[in-house]
Amino acid sequence: LAERLSDLPGPDDSAHHTVAARAANVLRPSGALQWLDDVAAWKAGWQRSTAPSVEQPAVLVFAGDHGVTAAGVSSYPSDVTAAMLTATQNGQATINAFARSAGASVTAIDVGVGDPTGDMRTESALTPERFDAITQTAFDAVDALDTDLLVLGELGIGNTTAAAAIAAAFAGGEAAVWVGRGTGVDDEGLARKQAAVQESVRRIAGVMDPLEILREVGGSELVGMAAACIAARHRSIPVVLDGYICTASMLPLHRSNEEALAHCIVGHCSAEPGHRLLLDTLDKKPLLDLDMRLGEGSGAMAAVPIVKMACAGVVEVPTFDEFFGKGVDGV
C-alpha cells in the first residue's frame, strides 16, 4: 500500500478543462449549477473523457469483526456482522436495494468476519502480514471490477470505535469529540466507547507512520476500503466515499500523500459527530446531508444518481452556440 501511495497517477487535465469550459457555456445561467458542473468536470478528468457519464457504478462492501467489541462498545453483538454480510451477499440488505435503484452492482467481501482484529486497547488490531493480505484482497477486488464509478462501504460491529480512534490519533483532542453513538449505544455504552478510544490512542502514542496507525487501531474492513481506494486510483476509477467509518479509513492515505484522495468525492455527511470534523480536515464537501448512519455504502450510493445527473447536465445540454448558432447577436 505504501508503494502504491508513493506513485499516484493524476487525472486527464485536458478532459477536465474541456468539460469545465463546456459547463460554463451550456444553456442556463452561468454558475446556476456550479457544484454539479464541478462534479462533472471532476468525473471527466478521472474517466479521461470529454463526455463523462455513469454507466456501470459498483459498490465494494468490506466486512470484518473487531476485538474491541469486548469492551462493550456496541449495542449489538459481533455476530450481527456475519448476518449482515449474508444478507448483502444474498441481495437482501439496504445497499442492495439502493444499488438496484441506481443500476449498480454490489460485491461484499469478507476480510475478517469470525476472525476479529486484536483488541486495539491492548494490542495491534492487525499484524503486518494480515494488513498486507487484506490489502491484496482489496487490490484484487478492484482489478476484477468493470466500473466507471466506485462506491466504498463497510460492515462491522464496533467499527465506529475504530474510526474514532483513527480520527483521534491523527487530529487529537478529547475522545468525546470523535466518539458518537454508532448503532445507538446508551450513555454507559458511550462512556465505554470513549474510554476504549482513549486507551487505544494512548497505547500508540509516538507512532508516526500513518499506515502504521491504520494497522494499529483500524480494522479489517477499514484497511480494505483504504486499499481499494488506492487500487481505484491506479485504474483511474473515480470513487464515492461513504460515512464516518469510510472517511476515517481515508485519513491515513491523506496524511501519507496529500493528493491521495483527489479522485474521491464524499457522498454524504453522516449523523456521527466526528464525520463533519473529518470532512473539514480533508477539505471535502458532502453531496448529501441526511443524518444517515447505516454504513454499507448506502449514503454514498444515494449520491450516485447526483453524479450521473451532473454529467448529463453538461454532456446532454447544448451550449448557447450549439442551440442558437454561432455568432447570434445578443446571445
Side-chain angles (χ1 to χ4, degrees), residues 82-173:
M84 288 307 303
L85 175 61
T86 298
T88 304
Q89 291 173 331
N90 291 342
Q92 297 173 300
T94 301
I95 185 58
N96 302 106
F98 279 19
R100 284 191 290 269
S101 178
S105 65
V106 177
T107 304
I109 302 170
D110 181 353
V111 287
V113 176
D115 184 14
T117 59
D119 186 337
M120 64 183 187
R121 296 174 298 169
T122 58
E123 60 183 327
S124 302
L126 296 164
T127 64
E129 294 77 16
R130 188 171 177 190
F131 184 101
D132 288 343
I134 294 167
T135 295
Q136 189 60 54
T137 296
F139 288 169
D140 293 343
V142 173
D143 288 345
L145 289 175
D146 183 9
T147 182
D148 52 21
L149 187 67
L150 177 61
V151 166
L152 295 177
E154 41 63 39
L155 296 166
I157 295 299
N159 60 15
T160 55
T161 306
I166 291 172
F170 282 108

Side-chain angles (χ1 to χ4, degrees), residues 6-243:
S6 67
D7 182 26
L8 296 175
D12 183 333
D13 290 331
S14 177
H16 178 105
H17 293 316
T18 297
V19 170
R22 178 181 178 83
N25 290 283
V26 294
L27 197 62
R28 55 177 173 261
S30 178
L33 298 179
Q34 189 60 57
W35 192 356
L36 294 182
D37 291 344
D38 291 345
V39 169
W42 164 83
K43 182 71 163 65
W46 292 105
Q47 192 174 352
R48 304 183 183 278
S49 170
T50 56
S53 64
V54 179
E55 304 296 336
Q56 294 177 287
V59 58
L60 290 179
V61 182
F62 293 91
D65 285 331
H66 293 257
V68 75
T69 56
V73 297
S74 176
S75 54
Y76 291 91
S78 290
D79 55 12
V80 169
T81 304
M84 288 307 303
L85 175 61
T86 298
T88 304
Q89 291 173 331
N90 291 342
Q92 297 173 300
T94 301
I95 185 58
N96 302 106
F98 279 19
R100 284 191 290 269
S101 178
S105 65
V106 177
T107 304
I109 302 170
D110 181 353
V111 287
V113 176
D115 184 14
T117 59
D119 186 337
M120 64 183 187
R121 296 174 298 169
T122 58
E123 60 183 327
S124 302
L126 296 164
T127 64
E129 294 77 16
R130 188 171 177 190
F131 184 101
D132 288 343
I134 294 167
T135 295
Q136 189 60 54
T137 296
F139 288 169
D140 293 343
V142 173
D143 288 345
L145 289 175
D146 183 9
T147 182
D148 52 21
L149 187 67
L150 177 61
V151 166
L152 295 177
E154 41 63 39
L155 296 166
I157 295 299
N159 60 15
T160 55
T161 306
I166 291 172
F170 282 108
E174 294 296 322
V177 173
W178 302 108
V179 178
R181 295 187 182 272
T183 51
V185 293
D186 57 18
D187 289 346
E188 291 182 357
L190 184 63
R192 290 192 294 269
K193 285 183 71 172
Q194 291 170 348
V197 169
Q198 287 175 335
E199 291 173 44
S200 301
V201 173
R202 287 195 197 105
R203 182 182 63 78
I204 63 168
V207 176
M208 303 301 293
D209 185 319
L211 297 185
E212 277 294 285
I213 292 174
L214 176 61
R215 182 180 71 81
E216 288 284 353
V217 297
S220 302
E221 72 275 37
L222 280 78
V223 173
M225 288 187 290
C229 179
I230 296 306
R233 175 64 166 266
H234 281 269
R235 289 191 56 198
S236 200
I237 300 171
V239 173
V240 185
L241 303 178
D242 197 39

